[in-house]
Amino acid sequence: MTTANETIERLLRHRSVRRFTDEPVGRERLELIIRSAQMASTSSNMQAYSVIAVDDPDKRCQIAEWAGGQRHVEQAPVFLVWCADLYRFGEAVRMYGGSFEPTLEYFIVSTVDAALAAQNAAVAAESLGLGIVYIGGIRNRLSDVAELLQVPPLVYPVFGMCIGVPADDPDIRPRLPLEAVLHREAYDAAGQEAYIRQYDETYRQYAAGRKGGTKQTTWSRDMEARTRYPSRRHGEVLRRQGFRFEE
């Protein structure tokens, strides 16, 4: 699919990059990326997120290990940790003598705010000729990452992000059929199996034909396998950070 719209073309060419050159991103480009992130939509202008740029090699090495040995966390020119942040909101409320209960709704708001801002950053980075990859693996050791980065109460690390000049050109991973995700008027549960089977064939061809790839699999097979991964348990850590989920 091609369009005359440069922004849409860039979005359609997105891929995760895990190998980077040694070229620095530089302060100016990084600040442009974060300023772009700040213009993302945010619930009630709460801006309930923060970003921690981690440069210290020892911290990077430790986070890479906790994230499952992802070496690009160490090697990328920039590594950011995106945090849901209600601490700053609480400080603003207290300045006027108020208080708030960090309920599940606030937790959702702050997590969504962080994700929206990060995606703005990803698009901005790619528009500058850079590549990115999200690092959800930091949640393998959520408590340890929170302690390492000294986050205050009502803040938790949601995911990391590596940024740099791509050192390779990864294949674009195909997505589900549009009809599987775009529903009209009501959710189309009856059609999902057919869309999955259609996508499985597309995915099988992608997995077998990708650069250096010989893997014979389908999307549904990979998703079933994913359910057998050890599940991350975050309730205790988040409660310790001050979030409350009782409604």
Side-chain angles (χ1 to χ4, degrees):
M1 181 183 195
T2 59
T3 75
N5 186 296
E6 182 181 348
T7 301
I8 292 176
E9 281 295 313
R10 193 176 308 282
L11 290 168
L12 292 174
R13 292 196 306 269
H14 168 75
R15 73 290 308 274
S16 294
V17 173
R18 293 176 174 83
R19 293 183 61 243
F20 303 93
T21 71
D22 294 332
E23 179 182 332
V25 170
R27 180 170 181 169
E28 183 177 352
R29 280 198 290 190
L30 178 58
E31 289 185 354
L32 276 174
I33 290 167
I34 300 304
R35 288 185 188 279
S36 299
Q38 287 188 269
M39 297 310 295
S41 297
T42 169
S43 180
S44 301
N45 198 33
M46 284 176 61
Q47 303 173 73
Y49 63 91
S50 287
V51 191
I52 301 173
V54 184
D55 295 322
D56 181 88
D58 291 336
K59 288 183 178 179
R60 290 259 208 125
C61 180
Q62 184 63 83
I63 294 172
E65 180 183 334
W66 288 337
Q70 299 190 60
R71 296 298 101 187
H72 34 285
V73 171
E74 294 182 75
Q75 297 161 357
V78 170
F79 179 66
L80 306 176
V81 176
W82 296 83
C83 299
D85 182 354
L86 292 174
Y87 176 80
R88 182 173 52 244
F89 173 74
E91 290 294 289
V93 169
R94 280 188 286 276
M95 286 172 62
Y96 283 85
S99 63
F100 81 104
E101 181 70 16
T103 60
L104 178 59
E105 172 63 13
Y106 279 114
F107 172 80
I108 292 172
V109 163
S110 60
T111 304
V112 170
D113 266 15
L116 292 174
Q119 188 59 18
N120 255 33
V123 175
E126 291 177 347
S127 77
L128 296 171
L130 304 170
I132 71 102
V133 63
Y134 285 95
I135 307 296
I138 69 168
R139 296 192 305 276
N140 292 347
R141 301 280 290 272
L142 185 59
S143 180
D144 293 321
V145 173
E147 182 178 355
L148 181 71
L149 301 181
Q150 300 177 32
V151 301
L154 300 181
V155 177
Y156 86 94
V158 185
F159 43 70
M161 178 187 285
C162 298
I163 305 177
V165 176
D168 60 5
D169 184 24
D171 293 324
I172 297 174
R173 191 187 299 267
R175 296 306 202 235
L176 284 156
L178 178 67
E179 296 80 5
V181 298
L182 176 59
H183 303 260
R184 305 284 185 178
E185 308 300 341
Y187 192 99
D188 176 20
Q192 289 301 310
E193 182 174 344
Y195 296 138
I196 291 170
R197 292 188 183 279
Q198 177 185 339
Y199 182 52
D200 273 350
E201 178 56 25
T202 301
Y203 196 86
R204 183 192 64 76
Q205 295 178 28
Y206 157 78
R210 65 187 301 193
K211 296 182 180 110
T214 58
K215 187 177 180 182
Q216 294 295 322
T217 190
T218 64
W219 180 74
S220 59
R221 184 181 297 276
D222 283 356
M223 295 305 100
E224 189 281 328
R226 193 185 190 289
T227 64
R228 291 184 262 117
Y229 295 174
S231 181
R232 298 165 180 153
R233 305 290 184 180
H234 302 317
E236 181 181 345
V237 178
L238 293 172
R239 281 189 288 272
R240 193 159 61 240
Q241 285 300 109
F243 294 94
R244 298 288 177 263
F245 302 122
E246 297 78 10
E247 293 288 337

